[in-house]
Amino acid sequence: MEADALAVPGAGNSGPPAGAPLGNGPVGDLGLAGDHAAIWSYDFEHETLSWLPGLENLLGGSVLTEAEIESRLADLVAPLTSGTRTSPPWREFELEQSFRNPVGEVRWVRLRARTIGDDNGSTGLLGIATDVTDIRENRQALEDLTDRYRLLVELSPDAVCVHEAGVVTYVNRAAVTALGASSTAELIGRPIMDFVADESLPALLDRIASLHRQGASTDPADTVMLRLDGTKYLVQSISVRTTWEGRPAFQVIMRDISAQKAAEATLRYQAALISHVSDAIIATSGTGVVTSWNPAAENVYGWTAGEAIGGTVSELVGAELDPETVLRRGGVMRTTHRHRNGSTLAIRISAAEMNDGFVLVCADETARRRAEQHYSTVVASLDEGVVVIGPGGLIESANPAACRIIGVGHDDLIGVPCVTLELYDEQGRIPPARMPSVITRRTGATLTGLVLRLRRPAGDDVWISLTSRLLTPEDPSAQAVVASFTDITERRAIGERLAHEATHDPLTELANRTLVLDSLAEALSGAGRAELTTLLFIDLDKFKVINDSLGHSVGDKVLRIAGERLRRGIGENDLVGRLGGDEFVVVTAEITEPHEIKALAEHLREALTEPITVNGRQLHIDASIGIVTAANDDTRTAEDLLRDADVAMYQAKTLGRARYEFFDVELRERMQRRLRMEQDLRDALQNEELWTAYQPVVDIESGEMVAVEALLRWKHPAHGTISPAEFIPLAEESDLINLIGKYVLRTTTREIARRREQLGIDLNLKVNLSARQLDDPHLVAGVQDALKTTGLPPHALTLEVTESALMRDQAAAAEVLTSLRDLGVSLAIDDFGTGYSSLAQLQRLPLDTLKIDRTFVTGIAESRDAAAIVKSIIAMAHAVDLIVVAEGVEDEQQLMILSELRCDQAQGFHLGRPAPPDELFGAVG
């Protein structure tokens, strides 16, 4: 009837065996199975795990066995499976776990799960496992490199300061120490010229004036600086054009070269080698032959002093090195050298001239430049977008992922105010200050995991998870912010789809039972509760016939059409849902008058009764509707209203279907009594409250008792004798009729077999079969077992079936009756004349006896028509060799007429009332 559902706990099917992969199903089209994600489930009751294909790739590849996959998955989800059993259905949980794959690598997996279940609570978990190893590693690498970049500046041995409009706005620790200050507060806000000696001021101003564009830098130059105490010291400075809070500024890097200059002077005049510095110091002749090679040079280039002295400097450093060229370029230059092993070195060269040659100071900057390159490479390769927002709110840098997610090119993004990005929260509101980076810049607070909707310039939207933090947390005054964000559009869509599937019927897309109850509960609560809430419980009539005869695919189409007609037939604010099978509900708070409710019920019935065309076949259905209303002071819950509407619907079906009935308290009490009576009937079998009475069947011609009919009786411990007219229908509507039927057959065959043997009589036993028993696949085996166990001859047993049961499905009935007839038992049609059968139809069934219903016998003495009908029935039955038994004989006159009409046998109060076996036969020792 419905499409097959994925076998998960609480979904209405048993699921796969423990440890087995989940099969393909609706969940399979999530598109998550693969190397990075997989779907899994856990059954609380059976404590079994199941998963979709793809989990083996996530946990280690095809080398894993199914048992190993199950063991690894069990370890990962253990915190969820042990801690969520008492959670109500549809709660979500998330955690990240690490594990080692078969090759020893540490991997990380994010587990997101939701409890699923039914009205009795959660029955299991349905979850998604996602490989987040790369995300964690990239995020950590970004944070590490960001810290290293910040520390590189802050902990640099070179003094670094920033001045804007001639005023100092930032200094690092080395600058504080170099200028003789005790804190940054003594330097920030002072003119930069306060710290430059007069002799170096003109050249410094000229170099700054030459910087016309962002990022431009001066060549290294010597500058005399002034400490706070007025003393002078020499630095090598480089000025870089930058911005500070959106305004032009200059960053100055100053290296104290006093010691270096002193060393160079010593080299000039003494040709001595300073061996304790970390930079390589090389002395050469005027022709480039190495005359001195300090230990640092050995470490930097890999050549020992013995190997280097006497060699050509260009060959030793792996590149052309002309000291005069360095001197012409200001005495300092950056270039690339090579280590003895061929690796590349980033070198800053300082050159000084001696009387007979040159002194070269080669500083190895390879590590610093590699760190900067690694930082740029890692940030550029991240799937996570990263932007740096300056103090003025302008975007200063952005990696490729950020450009891709935002939907603009790199050049179009740099320099743009971050507040121009269109961001909205989950309620569609513009967040405060539009950009979380503004809040971070103003407060210094780190904002993590903000879920926002970003409107791209092209007009489409993406959902992002954003984190905003200061670029230099230890110096909030810098106010630069790093914003990182991930595109979660697909993940969010999957979550929304799962939420929709959890609250909607997959066949009709209508609200399911969970959503109906939630919506109804919401309508029944709160100050804004409606004056009257109405619930209509709709059950389709004739649907089972369509579904069983034409197949589930046709049944599913009928259900979809019915659901769509109901949806079109209600108001905009009303709710229509499908509870399962052919049961629908409508919830409305828009109508308050009884006649309006009746009109709605009739309108929905009329919509459903319109012909339905499926596969070229025109079908017809109708509906039985139960209606319950709840005023705004009604204390019933949503479950209570659904139950009461179901009761009213059942009453509508009982009264003839294709109608509607309103619920009332008396109706509920009758149903509750019915439910209690059904439970008591279940207990009656075990408590031996059921017993069998036997009514004689007499041969009319001889007057002798030739058979007895077994009639079930119930003596209730509290209510006394319960009429069969009340409890037999209860049994037939449940599974009890088969249990009771087996009990009656077993006890009566045993009783009559014992009486036949001890009394020496040839007595036939007649036992009634219900329509439900004919559907029991174990009926024939049960009859055979009863005969074999009790020793009753098969020909001594007659099984009676009502005419209506035989006419319900003649082909199926004929097959079962033939199997019973093959056992040797006799078969009778009971209550003949109350149905719509004809003798021609009966002739196709393997019958031996026909029983005329008591309604014809009752009026046989007063009505010529009744007598004529009975006469015709007897004649037709005899014509096909059927024995005729008349039921309900109440007096001698009726018996005489039946004798005249050549009726074979009779039973009724005139011939003997139903009685216990000892009373009918007498006690037998």
Side-chain angles (χ1 to χ4, degrees):
M1 183 170 57
E2 300 179 49
D4 291 338
L6 179 65
V8 298
N13 40 28
S14 60
L22 289 167
N24 291 329
V27 180
D29 65 7
L30 293 176
L32 292 175
D35 292 333
H36 300 289
I39 297 177
W40 58 272
S41 70
Y42 182 77
D43 187 326
F44 286 155
E45 179 181 358
H46 299 98
E47 299 185 351
T48 56
L49 278 168
S50 303
W51 60 89
L52 279 175
L55 183 65
E56 65 278 8
N57 296 330
L58 186 147
L59 294 181
S62 60
V63 298
L64 293 178
T65 65
E66 198 166 279
E68 290 173 332
I69 296 173
E70 180 179 8
S71 175
R72 288 171 179 252
L73 180 60
D75 291 341
L76 291 173
V77 303
L80 293 176
T81 59
S82 62
T84 58
R85 290 174 178 271
T86 58
S87 300
W90 315 119
R91 290 292 179 86
E92 292 189 357
F93 303 88
E94 181 174 329
L95 81 160
E96 290 186 1
Q97 296 275 58
S98 66
F99 66 95
R100 286 188 180 275
N101 64 16
V103 297
E105 297 174 335
V106 176
R107 309 294 295 178
W108 285 85
V109 62
R110 178 179 296 135
L111 299 163
R112 295 190 61 227
R114 170 173 296 149
T115 51
I116 57 177
D118 50 28
D119 298 337
N120 297 318
S122 297
T123 60
L125 290 171
L126 177 62
I128 299 175
T130 307
D131 189 336
V132 296
T133 305
D134 293 343
I135 294 176
R136 287 180 66 96
E137 291 177 352
N138 289 343
R139 186 185 300 119
Q140 186 63 44
L142 171 62
E143 293 175 356
D144 292 347
L145 287 177
T146 301
D147 289 341
R148 287 201 292 273
Y149 177 79
R150 173 181 54 78
L151 292 173
L152 184 67
V153 175
E154 186 62 23
L155 302 179
S156 171
D158 294 339
V160 179
C161 75
V162 178
H163 60 90
E164 184 257 319
V167 177
V168 176
T169 58
Y170 170 80
V171 290
N172 69 348
R173 298 178 187 179
V176 172
T177 302
L179 293 173
S182 59
S183 68
T184 59
E186 295 180 77
L187 304 176
I188 302 299
R190 293 187 58 174
I192 186 65
M193 303 309 175
D194 288 356
F195 307 105
V196 182
D198 292 340
E199 62 265 33
S200 295
L201 205 53
L204 175 66
L205 293 175
D206 289 341
R207 289 196 298 274
I208 292 175
S210 68
L211 302 177
H212 301 297
R213 60 182 178 80
Q214 177 81 4
S217 63
T218 65
D219 292 327
D222 292 349
T223 305
V224 179
M225 304 296 294
L226 291 175
R227 297 187 178 93
L228 289 179
D229 61 4
T231 59
K232 297 180 180 181
Y233 69 101
L234 183 64
V235 301
Q236 188 179 75
S237 67
I238 298 176
S239 295
V240 181
R241 177 71 177 267
T242 183
T243 59
W244 186 265
E245 295 185 346
R247 299 182 295 275
F250 299 92
Q251 177 176 309
V252 183
I253 300 96
M254 299 167 288
R255 171 171 286 192
D256 188 346
I257 59 172
S258 300
Q260 179 180 321
K261 288 296 183 180
E264 291 172 352
T266 301
L267 285 173
R268 269 190 214 101
Y269 298 104
Q270 301 178 5
L273 179 64
I274 301 176
S275 61
H276 64 276
V277 296
S278 60
D279 294 340
I281 300 177
I282 306 169
T284 70
S285 66
T287 59
V289 177
V290 174
T291 60
S292 178
W293 187 268
N294 76 336
E298 293 181 337
N299 294 331
V300 171
Y301 292 104
W303 300 96
T304 66
E307 294 171 323
I309 294 174
T312 304
V313 67
S314 295
E315 293 177 351
L316 293 169
V317 301
E320 185 67 30
L321 177 53
D322 181 9
E324 291 184 348
T325 301
V326 177
L327 290 172
R328 284 196 301 270
R329 294 183 180 181
V332 178
M333 67 178 291
R334 284 181 169 81
T335 187
T336 299
H337 290 174
R338 290 193 177 275
H339 190 273
R340 181 178 186 171
N341 62 15
S343 60
T344 301
L345 301 172
I347 302 294
R348 186 187 73 241
I349 303 175
S350 299
E353 189 174 5
M354 293 196 308
N355 293 335
D356 56 350
F358 302 92
V359 173
L360 305 172
V361 179
C362 301
D364 185 2
E365 297 181 337
T366 305
R368 178 172 64 82
R369 292 192 188 179
R370 183 178 293 118
E372 293 173 349
Q373 182 62 39
H374 285 178
Y375 171 81
S376 300
T377 301
V378 168
V379 172
S381 63
L382 290 176
D383 288 333
E384 188 174 16
V386 180
V387 297
V388 176
I389 302 168
L394 301 180
I395 297 175
E396 296 182 349
S397 65
N399 70 343
C403 299
R404 184 184 69 253
I405 294 172
I406 295 173
V408 297
H410 182 270
D411 294 341
D412 295 330
L413 192 58
I414 303 303
V416 173
C418 66
V419 294
T420 60
L421 300 177
E422 290 190 57
L423 294 174
Y424 304 91
D425 62 18
E426 295 189 88
Q427 286 71 45
R429 299 170 300 197
I430 299 176
R434 288 190 66 96
M435 191 69 183
S437 64
V438 177
I439 300 175
T440 298
R441 187 167 62 250
R442 290 175 180 173
T443 65
T446 296
L447 306 178
T448 304
L450 299 177
V451 176
L452 299 169
R453 178 167 54 88
L454 170 67
R455 175 65 55 83
R456 289 171 163 173
D460 58 325
D461 293 338
V462 293
W463 285 94
I464 61 173
S465 175
L466 182 142
T467 296
S468 174
R469 67 181 69 191
L470 290 175
L471 181 63
T472 54
E474 69 283 354
D475 185 13
S477 61
Q479 294 188 333
V481 174
V482 175
S484 58
F485 45 91
T486 304
D487 186 348
I488 61 171
T489 306
E490 181 179 357
R491 188 177 73 194
R492 185 178 178 90
I494 292 172
E496 291 175 349
R497 185 163 65 248
L498 287 174
H500 177 83
E501 292 173 354
T503 55
H504 288 75
D505 171 49
L507 178 65
T508 62
E509 288 299 315
L510 299 175
N512 64 8
R513 184 185 185 89
T514 298
L515 183 56
V516 167
L517 287 174
D518 288 346
S519 301
L520 191 55
E522 183 178 355
L524 296 174
S525 62
R529 178 171 175 173
E531 179 182 346
L532 189 71
T533 301
T534 301
L535 174 67
L536 293 87
F537 195 114
I538 304 166
D539 186 273
L540 301 183
D541 298 333
K542 304 177 184 177
F543 174 76
K544 187 176 186 307
V545 176
I546 294 174
N547 202 47
D548 291 346
S549 60
L550 301 181
H552 293 316
S553 61
V554 173
D556 288 348
K557 292 178 182 179
V558 171
L559 290 174
R560 282 193 289 266
I561 294 172
E564 182 59 31
R565 289 182 179 181
L566 291 174
R567 192 188 342 237
R568 293 199 305 264
I570 62 173
E572 181 179 352
N573 298 321
D574 298 337
L575 174 71
V576 59
R578 177 177 176 237
L579 302 183
D582 59 350
E583 294 179 341
F584 297 83
V585 292
V586 169
V587 181
T588 178
E590 301 295 316
I591 55 180
T592 58
E593 298 299 327
H595 70 276
E596 295 177 325
I597 299 173
K598 293 178 181 178
L600 175 61
E602 287 292 352
H603 172 66
L604 296 178
R605 269 201 60 236
E606 290 174 0
L608 292 173
T609 56
E610 287 290 324
I612 297 175
T613 302
V614 178
N615 298 340
R617 183 190 296 268
Q618 195 171 75
L619 307 174
H620 297 270
I621 59 172
D622 209 319
S624 298
I625 305 176
I627 305 172
V628 62
T629 60
N632 52 18
D633 58 350
D634 198 313
T635 60
R636 284 177 293 177
T637 66
E639 287 280 6
D640 294 337
L641 289 184
L642 195 61
R643 174 203 64 202
D644 292 344
D646 191 5
V647 169
M649 183 278 295
Y650 184 84
Q651 178 70 1
K653 280 199 174 293
T654 303
L655 295 178
R657 304 176 184 269
R659 56 186 295 144
Y660 60 83
E661 287 292 326
F662 281 84
F663 171 80
D664 58 42
V665 176
E666 291 183 359
L667 180 58
R668 181 200 295 159
E669 291 174 349
R670 290 198 302 273
M671 292 303 298
Q672 289 175 344
R673 169 180 165 80
R674 185 181 184 89
L675 290 174
R676 287 195 301 269
M677 192 67 67
E678 181 179 333
Q679 183 56 49
D680 290 347
L681 185 56
R682 292 180 183 276
D683 297 336
L685 272 172
Q686 297 181 356
N687 298 338
E688 297 183 353
E689 298 168 13
L690 298 176
W691 62 278
T692 306
Y694 297 91
Q695 185 176 30
V697 178
V698 176
D699 181 84
I700 295 178
E701 183 177 350
S702 65
E704 295 180 358
M705 181 174 68
V706 294
V708 289
E709 181 176 0
L711 301 171
L712 190 62
R713 296 292 184 261
W714 180 16
K715 187 174 183 180
H716 193 282
H719 303 296
T721 300
I722 305 296
S723 169
E726 182 175 2
F727 74 80
I728 291 299
L730 276 179
E732 289 182 334
E733 293 173 11
S734 66
D735 60 344
L736 288 174
I737 191 62
N738 290 330
L739 296 175
I740 292 175
K742 291 177 182 178
Y743 166 79
V744 171
L745 187 63
R746 187 171 58 252
T747 56
T748 56
T749 53
R750 182 183 298 112
E751 178 69 35
I752 298 305
R754 187 167 67 95
R755 298 292 177 174
R756 282 169 57 93
E757 180 180 357
Q758 296 187 357
L759 296 178
I761 57 176
D762 185 12
L763 189 67
N764 190 280
L765 170 66
K766 297 180 182 292
V767 179
N768 292 294
L769 293 180
S770 74
R772 288 288 298 274
Q773 286 178 274
L774 288 179
D775 297 331
D776 183 5
H778 306 294
L779 173 63
V780 177
V783 173
Q784 186 177 24
D785 181 67
L787 293 172
K788 181 179 180 181
T789 302
T790 62
L792 183 71
H795 71 268
L797 175 63
T798 300
L799 298 177
E800 299 185 352
V801 186
T802 62
E803 181 182 11
S804 57
L806 290 176
M807 292 303 103
R808 184 169 60 98
D809 188 342
Q810 290 186 57
E815 183 177 352
V816 174
L817 294 180
T818 299
S819 298
L820 291 171
R821 185 70 173 277
D822 290 341
L823 297 179
V825 302
S826 299
L827 302 172
I829 180 170
D830 197 6
D831 300 334
F832 183 79
T834 59
Y836 301 95
S837 63
S838 66
L839 200 59
Q841 290 173 310
L842 296 180
Q843 194 174 8
R844 291 192 291 269
L845 298 173
L847 300 173
D848 301 286
T849 302
L850 182 149
K851 296 186 73 173
I852 303 174
D853 187 69
R854 68 181 64 249
T855 55
F856 297 104
V857 176
T858 299
I860 194 172
E862 294 82 16
S863 170
R864 287 174 136 190
D865 292 340
I869 291 173
V870 170
K871 182 179 180 181
S872 300
I873 292 174
I874 294 171
M876 289 189 298
H878 284 167
V880 291
D881 296 325
L882 294 181
I883 297 172
V884 181
V885 181
E887 294 183 296
V889 177
E890 305 295 335
D891 54 44
E892 185 64 28
Q893 186 178 8
Q894 293 174 348
L895 184 61
M896 290 177 60
I897 295 175
L898 290 170
S899 177
E900 294 173 358
L901 296 177
R902 297 181 59 208
C903 182
D904 302 307
Q905 298 172 3
Q907 66 183 101
F909 287 175
H910 177 66
L911 300 171
R913 292 177 176 272
D918 286 348
E919 183 179 325
L920 180 62
F921 300 109
V924 178

